[in-house]
């Protein structure tokens, strides 16, 4: 969500009559819908089917209620969360997973908690309240209450129920599906009659219509037999889980005026980023004098500014202050602080730009049709003159690249407009483009020479990583201790030649602050291998396929759950050359030929694995082209995609048979 120290104030003022938010009170208001909620003290164990007893674990009950409650006495709005779960554990792993319970308290207070286990024999062991401990989060603040449940054995039921008071937030998300099957899942959203929330369920049935009961709005969804959400390769499993998003949409005191729209978000974000005090203006002017930004075009100036800020300022969510004077003095900034700092510098330099705010599509893809500010998580700057983007709070990314999970995803583009001396903002939801496959290479150039005695091979490798493929190593390489850097560089080569004995090793473009779009990360090495060529009687076996390194495999037996979603588009170009020993030929050269493709146009496939070979005398050149040029692919056509991925895995197993001629 929008990361701003001003956020709570802005949201509160938007509500009109709700000017006080209750985040401190410990008493449970009598008028709360679930004020007296508790478990059934005398209940028996819940019966299971034969199939359910074979499951490692089963969620028998998952009940959640979020109630926004206006206390007439204190005239404050509070948010109260009631949670009740019953888990059946049938395996040792399940016991290990569920015998400790974590209750989040970082955004409020735990009002009460009860827990118990019921053994297969019906014996009940209740939680000793003195065993509840508190864990701090990374910042030293209150993070979780933790407790261990006692008396757990195979076949036990673990039951816990608690109520929390939380800081009110007018946007929320609850997951209705987990990584274990659930028999009963219920979610309730309750609010005063004055406040109306809108909801949207993803990957499941919609919630009940908003109903007014006893002067309160109630939205409810009750599900039976919710299937497990399995992890799948080439899918964002978390984003595919059934969930409900909700947002405050109307306040009776404001009539039918919709609250928290994209237009309102645009104005709010613009004000947060571009409103400066006199002290902030002075601090920006002082910083610009220190930076000495050279004259030049948009690209040159933006790259200079980015490199300076990302080299000299440190990301720190502990430093929550977004005031620029403090940020510039301490050289520490939160995500919002970096966004304000870049916005101020770019404006001072007169560089035209727009602010983009978006979600992480691997968690919750941005949905333009449901205007929850829950999607407004990540700041980007867009430069219309060059059509390039920049991630201000990510020092590991450079101009032209933002995290791939923010791309191939809509975002709210906000531009400044002026009417005379009045400045405002206009926002529009547009798609954030992702990089093309050729901008994300993972290429190999390999030359193999067999020793005259055929007992070992000399291999020269050039491993080239660009774009997102380089992102896992290039931004961090120079920060790694030198001895460890050598080890990491060797691991890239060992992925192709596991038994490599190194004769030479060199890394190109390992310096800090480089863009992998312009300067790919390259590892060059000369190694010897005894395992690449093996003798089998009078023949020799050359494991040419292993030179590609480990490949993804899609041999799943279960039916596909989700559509394909790639992390990013990518390409793999590999060339392998080797010289056959005099008097030898290859029996099975045709095993090197693959041509597997998927996509609507066979002449220009979206997904491709293609390999071929050429022979000139004793020299053999193998050329392999593999690419994935589209982020998403429908589940109904999954088989075609799988064949491409598995073609690479199958090539990885190719072994050439060398035998004497004649």
């Amino acid at each position: 969500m929008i990361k701003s120290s001003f956020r709570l104030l802005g949201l509160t003022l938007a509500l009109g009559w709700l000017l006080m938010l209750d985040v401190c009170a410990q008493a449970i208001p009598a008028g709360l819908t679930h004020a007296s909620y508790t478990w059934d003290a005398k209940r028996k164990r819940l019966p299971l089917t034969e199939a359910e007893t074979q499951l490692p674990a089963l969620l028998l009950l998952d009940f959640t209620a979020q109630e926004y409650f206006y206390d007439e006495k204190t005239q404050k709005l509070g948010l109260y969360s009631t949670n009740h779960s019953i888990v059946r554990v049938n395996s040792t792993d399940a016991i290990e997973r569920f015998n400790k319970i974590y209750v989040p308290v970082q955004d409020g207070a735990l009002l009460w908690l009860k827990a118990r286990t019921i053994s297969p024999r019906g014996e009940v062991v209740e939680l000793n309240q003195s065993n509840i401990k508190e864990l701090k989060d990374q910042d030293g603040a209150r993070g979780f209450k933790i407790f261990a449940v006692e008396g757990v054995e195979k076949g036990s039921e673990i039951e816990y129920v608690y109520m929390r008071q939380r800081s009110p937030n007018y946007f929320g998300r609850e997951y209705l599906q987990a990584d274990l099957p659930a028999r009963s899942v219920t979610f309730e959203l309750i609010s005063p009659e004055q406040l109306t929330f809108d909801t949207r369920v993803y990957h499941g049935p919609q919630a009940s219509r908003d109903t007014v009961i006893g002067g309160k709005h109630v939205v409810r969804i009750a599900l039976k037999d919710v299937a497990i959400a399995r992890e799948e390769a080439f899918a964002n499993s978390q984003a595919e889980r059934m969930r409900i998003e909700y947002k405050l949409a109307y306040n009776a005191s404001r009539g039918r005026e919709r609250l928290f729209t994209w237009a309102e978000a645009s104005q709010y974000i613009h004000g947060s980023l571009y409103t400066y005090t006199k002290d902030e203006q002075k601090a920006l002017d002082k910083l610009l004098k220190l930076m000495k930004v050279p004259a030049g075009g948009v690209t040159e100036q933006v790259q200079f500014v980015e490199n300076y800020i990302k080299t000299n300022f440190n990301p720190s969510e502990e430093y929550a202050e977004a005031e620029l004077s403090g940020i510039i003095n301490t050289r520490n900034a939160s995500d919002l602080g970096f966004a304000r700092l870049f916005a101020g510098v770019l404006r001072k330099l007169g560089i035209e730009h727009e602010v983009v705010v978006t979600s992480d599509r691997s968690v919750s893809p941005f949905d333009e049709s449901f205007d929850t500010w829950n999607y407004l998580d990540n700041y980007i700057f867009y430069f219309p003159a060059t059509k390039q983007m920049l991630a201000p709070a990510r020092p590991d990314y450079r101009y032209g690249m933002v995290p791939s999970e923010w791309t191939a995803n809509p975002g709210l583009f906000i531009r400044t407009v002026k009417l005379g001396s009045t400045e405002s903002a206009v926002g529009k939801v547009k798609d954030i483009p992702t990089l093309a496959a050729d901008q994300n290479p993972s290429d190999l150039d390999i030359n193999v020479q067999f020793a005259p005695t055929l007992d070992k091979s000399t291999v020269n490798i050039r491993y080239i990583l660009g774009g997102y493929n380089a992102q896992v190593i290039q931004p961090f390489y120079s920060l790694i201790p030198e001895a460890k850097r050598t080890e990491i560089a060797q691991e890239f080569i060992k992925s192709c030649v596991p038994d490599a004995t190194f004769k030479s090793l060199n890394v190109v473009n390992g310096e800090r602050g480089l863009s992998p779009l312009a300067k790919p990360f390259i590892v060059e090495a000369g190694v010897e291998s005894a395992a690449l060529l093996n003798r089998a009687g009078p023949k020799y076996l050359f494991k040419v396929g292993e030179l590609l390194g480990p490949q993804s495999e899609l041999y799943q037996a279960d039916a596909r759950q989700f559509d394909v979603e790639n992390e990013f588009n990518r390409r793999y170009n590999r060339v392998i050359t080797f010289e056959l020993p005099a008097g030898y030929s290859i029996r099975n050269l045709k095993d090197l030929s693959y041509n597997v493709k998927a996509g609507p146009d066979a002449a220009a496939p979206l997904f491709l694995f293609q390999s071929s070979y050429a022979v000139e005398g004793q020299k053999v050149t193998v050329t392999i082209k593999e690419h994935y040029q589209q982020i998403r692919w429908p589940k109904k056509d999954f088989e075609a995609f799988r064949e491409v991925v598995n073609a690479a895995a199958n090539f990885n197993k190719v072994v050439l048979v060398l035998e004497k001629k004649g």
Side-chain angles (χ1 to χ4, degrees):
M1 289 168 286
I2 297 174
K3 300 177 175 79
S4 172
S5 57
F6 313 127
R7 184 168 188 265
L8 198 55
L9 174 63
L11 301 189
T12 303
L13 294 178
L15 294 178
W17 63 278
L18 296 174
L19 296 180
M20 298 297 291
L21 304 177
D22 190 2
V23 296
C24 300
Q26 297 292 316
I28 300 172
L32 201 67
T33 301
H34 295 297
S36 58
Y37 188 95
T38 188
W39 59 31
D40 180 355
K42 298 180 179 180
R43 80 165 178 88
K44 303 298 183 183
R45 284 167 51 84
L46 301 174
L48 267 61
T49 66
E50 180 61 31
E52 288 173 336
T53 63
Q54 303 306 310
L55 297 170
L58 173 66
L59 190 56
L60 295 168
L61 175 69
D62 182 12
F63 173 82
T64 302
Q66 304 286 9
E67 179 165 1
Y68 293 82
F69 183 82
Y70 184 69
D71 194 319
E72 295 289 351
K73 273 188 179 179
T74 62
Q75 294 189 341
K76 293 179 180 179
L77 182 73
L79 173 59
Y80 296 84
S81 300
T82 304
N83 298 81
H84 186 185
S85 297
I86 304 174
V87 182
R88 171 72 175 260
V89 291
N90 295 325
S91 69
T92 303
D93 288 344
I95 293 172
E96 182 68 23
R97 175 179 174 183
F98 291 105
N99 67 358
K100 290 185 179 68
I101 307 298
Y102 296 82
V103 178
V105 293
Q106 64 266 40
D107 63 343
L110 180 64
L111 301 181
W112 60 267
L113 178 150
K114 296 197 296 185
R116 64 184 174 183
T117 60
I118 305 178
S119 75
R121 298 168 299 284
E123 299 164 346
V124 178
V125 179
E126 290 202 22
L127 171 70
N128 184 337
Q129 296 289 323
S130 65
N131 291 336
I132 300 176
K133 309 297 181 186
E134 188 167 291
L135 292 180
K136 305 291 187 181
D137 62 18
Q138 290 182 341
D139 301 333
R142 300 168 66 241
F144 296 89
K145 295 285 189 180
I146 179 175
F147 61 91
V149 287
E150 299 176 352
V152 184
E153 57 185 282
K154 288 183 182 179
S156 289
E157 291 180 2
I158 300 172
E159 181 173 13
Y160 52 97
V161 56
Y162 58 88
M163 181 180 288
R164 293 177 294 152
Q165 183 184 15
R166 302 168 56 198
S167 303
N169 191 334
Y170 305 112
F171 318 97
R173 173 182 302 142
E174 292 286 342
Y175 286 96
L176 306 172
Q177 188 178 26
D179 57 353
L180 72 162
R183 181 184 287 180
S184 173
V185 177
T186 302
F187 172 76
E188 292 180 355
L189 179 65
I190 306 167
S191 62
E193 193 169 4
Q194 182 90 356
L195 305 178
T196 302
F197 281 77
D198 275 359
T199 63
R200 177 74 57 84
V201 176
Y202 295 87
H203 313 300
Q206 291 306 304
S208 65
R209 290 175 63 92
D210 187 340
T211 306
V212 177
I213 302 173
K216 298 179 181 181
H217 286 283
V218 179
V219 177
R220 191 170 193 270
I221 183 168
L223 304 169
K224 300 295 183 185
D225 299 323
V226 179
I228 185 173
R230 289 184 284 104
E231 289 287 327
E232 282 190 323
F234 301 98
N236 288 326
S237 299
Q238 184 173 351
E240 295 283 357
R241 285 168 59 192
M242 193 189 315
R243 73 181 195 277
I244 184 168
E245 300 274 353
Y246 56 92
K247 63 157 283 184
L248 179 62
Y250 301 99
N251 180 349
S253 66
R254 302 268 293 266
R256 294 305 297 166
E257 177 189 356
R258 188 172 178 83
L259 302 176
F260 305 122
T261 61
W262 297 135
E264 190 176 350
S266 301
Q267 295 289 345
Y268 178 74
I269 294 168
H270 187 272
S272 296
L273 297 190
Y274 296 103
T275 302
Y276 313 115
T277 65
K278 288 183 179 179
D279 286 342
E280 287 181 309
Q281 294 280 12
K282 289 179 182 177
L284 283 170
D285 289 336
K286 184 177 178 181
L287 177 64
L288 278 165
K289 283 185 180 179
L290 188 64
M291 289 173 67
K292 298 179 181 178
V293 181
V298 169
T299 295
E300 291 75 23
Q301 288 200 312
V302 169
Q303 287 178 327
F304 183 91
V305 167
E306 179 183 37
N307 191 60
Y308 184 93
I309 291 177
K310 292 185 177 181
T311 302
N312 291 281
F313 288 79
N314 304 308
S316 174
E317 286 305 321
E318 296 177 29
Y319 190 81
E321 179 58 60
E323 201 273 333
L324 289 181
S325 304
I327 290 171
I328 291 170
N329 284 333
T330 65
R331 300 298 170 110
N332 294 310
S334 64
D335 286 5
L336 174 64
F338 272 109
R340 296 193 78 232
L341 182 60
F342 268 93
V345 170
L346 293 172
R347 173 165 283 198
K348 290 278 185 182
L349 292 171
I351 297 174
E352 183 188 3
H353 62 278
E354 297 178 13
V355 178
V356 185
V357 195
T358 190
S359 65
D360 179 335
R361 65 176 163 88
S362 70
V363 176
S364 54
F366 193 109
D367 180 3
E368 179 183 4
S369 68
F370 189 70
D371 51 356
T372 171
W373 292 11
N374 248 358
Y375 294 138
L376 304 178
D377 273 335
N378 306 300
Y379 293 102
I380 300 171
F381 285 99
Y382 170 69
F383 301 93
T386 61
K387 295 182 171 56
Q388 296 298 315
M389 293 191 170
L390 178 155
R394 293 296 299 267
D396 50 332
Y397 283 84
R398 285 298 185 265
Y399 174 78
M401 288 181 68
V402 301
S404 62
E405 59 270 20
W406 303 357
T407 69
N409 191 35
L412 181 61
F413 285 66
I414 304 166
R415 62 184 178 88
T416 302
V417 293
K418 290 186 177 181
L419 299 172
S421 60
T422 303
E423 184 174 280
S424 186
V426 173
K428 185 177 182 180
V429 175
K430 297 189 286 187
D431 288 335
I432 300 171
T434 194
L435 297 181
D438 284 339
Q439 292 176 289
N440 302 309
S442 177
D443 297 344
L444 285 168
D445 190 350
I446 300 175
N447 178 266
V448 181
Q449 294 179 331
F450 303 119
T453 53
L454 299 181
D455 60 337
K456 62 182 178 180
S457 309
T458 299
V459 186
N460 292 304
I461 300 179
R462 195 165 190 262
Y463 204 137
I464 306 165
L465 297 168
Y468 289 124
N469 275 315
Q471 199 62 33
V472 295
I473 180 61
Q474 191 173 32
F476 315 105
Y477 186 75
S478 64
L479 306 176
I480 300 169
E482 187 171 351
K484 191 69 175 177
R485 288 205 301 264
T486 299
E487 180 183 334
I488 289 172
Q490 287 181 344
E491 287 303 315
F492 279 97
I493 302 302
K494 285 184 175 181
S495 68
C496 303
V497 186
D499 71 327
T501 299
F502 284 83
K503 301 301 180 182
S504 64
L505 181 69
N506 183 45
V507 171
V508 180
N509 297 329
E511 304 94 316
R512 186 180 181 187
L514 299 181
S515 168
L517 294 176
K519 295 187 175 181
F521 184 81
I522 302 171
V523 183
E524 301 170 326
V527 302
E528 285 187 352
S529 169
L532 201 56
L533 188 68
N534 293 329
R535 184 165 186 169
K539 303 179 179 65
Y540 287 88
L541 306 179
F542 175 30
K543 302 173 186 175
V544 64
E546 290 188 2
L547 290 170
L548 268 59
Q551 300 295 301
S552 298
E553 296 182 350
L554 280 175
Y555 298 121
Q556 65 185 63
D558 297 324
R560 182 75 179 181
Q561 290 180 109
F562 308 131
D563 289 343
V564 169
E565 185 162 337
N566 289 297
E567 186 180 357
F568 51 85
N569 298 320
R570 58 207 182 278
R571 77 113 196 269
Y572 307 86
N573 287 347
R574 294 101 160 196
V575 177
I576 302 170
T577 58
F578 58 93
E579 188 115 1
L580 291 172
Y584 278 84
S585 63
I586 296 175
R587 176 199 292 178
N588 57 329
L589 271 175
K590 290 184 178 180
D591 289 354
L592 294 169
S593 296
Y594 280 78
N595 188 21
V596 184
K597 59 186 74 173
D601 185 353
L606 295 171
F607 310 112
L608 172 73
F609 183 88
Q610 187 178 73
S611 60
S612 60
Y613 64 91
V615 180
E616 296 180 21
Q618 293 297 97
K619 180 182 177 182
V620 179
T621 302
V622 184
T623 302
I624 304 158
K625 294 184 177 181
E626 182 181 3
H627 67 235
Y628 300 85
Q629 296 180 340
Q630 184 167 287
I631 297 294
R632 297 176 179 87
W633 185 249
K635 177 174 63 175
K636 66 181 179 63
D637 297 325
F638 175 68
E639 192 59 38
F641 177 83
R642 178 163 62 177
E643 287 177 0
V644 174
V645 173
N646 285 346
N650 292 337
F651 187 95
N652 194 221
K653 301 178 179 69
V654 170
V655 177
L656 296 180
V657 180
L658 279 63
E659 56 187 6
K660 286 190 174 183
K661 295 178 181 179

